[in-house]
Amino acid sequence: MSGLDKIVGHITGTAEAEVKEILEAAKAKAYAIEKEAAQKTIAECDRIKEKSEREAANIIERGNASAELKRKQQLLIAKQSLIKEVISKAALSLQNLSDAEYFEVLKKLFKKHLPTQDAVILFSEKDLKRLPDGFVDELSAMLLESGHELKLGGKAPDIKSGFILDFGGVEENLSFEALMDNSMELLMDKVNKELFM
């Protein structure tokens, strides 16, 4: 082997060793990059999964809240309907009372709302025509016990049933319509409090 062949052989051997070294370093670097990329991919997948789970939980929570609100609204509508039906039936039963029963109810209503001062009692046109003899005197006797006077008003107010008490310009409307309206408002308030508070 000549000197030139030895030099070429030496250069080739050195080059092959360097190539081998470079390839091994490149493989190691590629493996490290691949490993880092895999770890980043796993971390990103975990982050995306957690975000998706949070979003899904929020969507489910909002859906449940919306469904609960709709349920409460339907329940409120049903209760309001029942309340209106009961009050309508009560109003109808009051309208169907005999005169004796009707004026007995008025007597109880007067006693429950007994004035604490002199008053004028006003009846509807219909009730004035069918007012039992001595009825106002009976009511007046209840008021006289407390030292006050009751008079029958001459002008009929625009009510269908019940009566109005006038205390010198201040009126207390005890017509059945007003009492029913007040009852409706009170019952609706109770239903709203029960459902939403």
Side-chain angles (χ1 to χ4, degrees):
M1 202 189 234
S2 71
L4 183 61
D5 286 340
K6 283 184 185 181
I7 294 174
V8 169
H10 177 64
I11 292 173
T12 304
T14 304
E16 284 177 359
E18 283 179 14
V19 167
K20 187 177 178 184
E21 215 176 280
I22 291 171
L23 280 176
E24 285 176 13
K27 282 181 185 176
K29 190 171 184 179
Y31 177 76
I33 291 170
E34 186 180 317
K35 187 175 179 182
E36 184 182 342
Q39 289 172 341
K40 284 182 180 178
T41 301
I42 290 169
E44 183 63 15
C45 287
D46 288 345
R47 188 191 66 75
I48 291 169
K49 180 183 173 191
E50 286 174 19
K51 182 180 177 190
S52 297
E53 286 173 352
R54 280 194 310 273
E55 288 174 358
N58 286 339
I59 290 168
I60 290 169
E61 188 177 326
R62 284 194 308 268
N64 287 341
S66 177
E68 179 63 14
L69 180 61
K70 286 187 190 295
R71 185 192 70 77
K72 285 183 174 184
Q73 288 171 336
Q74 291 301 317
L75 185 59
L76 177 63
I77 290 168
K79 285 189 174 189
Q80 287 173 337
S81 175
L82 285 172
I83 289 168
K84 287 177 184 176
E85 186 179 330
V86 167
I87 289 177
S88 294
K89 285 181 180 180
L92 186 62
S93 70
L94 287 171
Q95 291 171 8
N96 293 331
L97 291 174
S98 68
D99 285 355
E101 292 170 319
Y102 174 78
F103 284 100
E104 190 59 37
V105 169
L106 290 188
K107 194 185 305 180
K108 288 178 183 173
L109 182 61
F110 180 81
K111 192 172 185 176
K112 183 176 179 184
H113 295 273
L114 199 60
T116 57
Q117 59 189 23
D118 291 348
V120 175
I121 190 164
L122 304 160
F123 293 100
S124 69
E125 192 70 46
K126 178 183 173 187
D127 287 352
L128 279 172
K129 291 177 184 173
R130 63 184 182 149
L131 203 61
D133 290 336
F135 183 73
V136 176
D137 293 335
E138 227 179 303
L139 299 180
S140 185
M142 287 185 218
L143 195 54
L144 279 173
E145 292 175 13
S146 62
H148 300 292
E149 189 178 337
L150 179 71
K151 293 182 182 176
L152 177 62
K155 185 179 177 194
D158 187 21
I159 59 173
K160 294 179 183 173
S161 55
F163 55 86
I164 292 177
L165 291 173
D166 186 336
F167 306 102
V170 177
E171 293 184 347
E172 182 177 7
N173 189 344
L174 295 168
S175 66
F176 291 161
E177 305 93 276
L179 293 171
M180 294 288 181
D181 286 345
N182 289 341
S183 295
M184 180 73 76
E185 288 176 23
L186 288 171
L187 290 171
M188 292 300 178
D189 285 346
K190 285 182 182 179
V191 169
N192 284 330
K193 284 179 186 172
E194 181 184 323
L195 291 177
F196 297 111
M197 297 195 181

